[in-house]
Amino acid sequence: MANHKSAMKRARQTIVRTERNRVVKSRVRTAVRQFRDAVAAGNLEEADTLLKAATRELRKASSKGVFHKRTVSRRVSRLVQGLNAARA
């Protein structure tokens, strides 16, 4: 356990940030899963709208520092590739 005042504050901040990051990651996973389910079901019109929602959640997570921007770019690229492959 932390002994210094500053270390105690850092421990409190870590708890808050960890919970916030968990919520953001969960929203991203849900959006991506919904998109992939729509693609797997062959519902491409719905997949288009879900791709926008998933991309938005990923970019928001990047802006909050939960994911690195290159990680987000890679994931968005793979989602788009999956949709294009389903169309072909």
Side-chain angles (χ1 to χ4, degrees), residues 14-33:
T14 300
I15 292 169
V16 171
R17 288 185 183 136
T18 301
E19 184 59 32
R20 187 178 303 137
N21 290 346
R22 183 179 295 133
V23 169
V24 171
K25 285 181 183 181
S26 177
R27 294 178 81 175
V28 167
R29 281 194 302 266
T30 300
V32 170
R33 185 175 57 246

Side-chain angles (χ1 to χ4, degrees), residues 23-78:
V23 169
V24 171
K25 285 181 183 181
S26 177
R27 294 178 81 175
V28 167
R29 281 194 302 266
T30 300
V32 170
R33 185 175 57 246
Q34 288 174 345
F35 166 75
R36 289 194 174 137
D37 289 344
V39 170
N43 193 350
L44 300 181
E45 293 81 21
E46 183 183 359
D48 275 333
T49 58
L50 291 173
L51 175 64
K52 290 176 186 169
T55 302
R56 185 169 188 263
E57 289 295 333
L58 281 162
R59 302 260 186 237
K60 282 169 66 174
S62 173
S63 71
K64 296 184 184 310
V66 178
F67 293 120
H68 193 273
K69 68 178 185 175
R70 290 186 186 144
T71 302
V72 170
S73 293
R74 183 180 66 246
R75 289 186 180 190
V76 169
S77 175
R78 288 178 180 171

Side-chain angles (χ1 to χ4, degrees), residues 3 12 81:
N3 291 325
R12 289 193 310 269
Q81 285 177 348

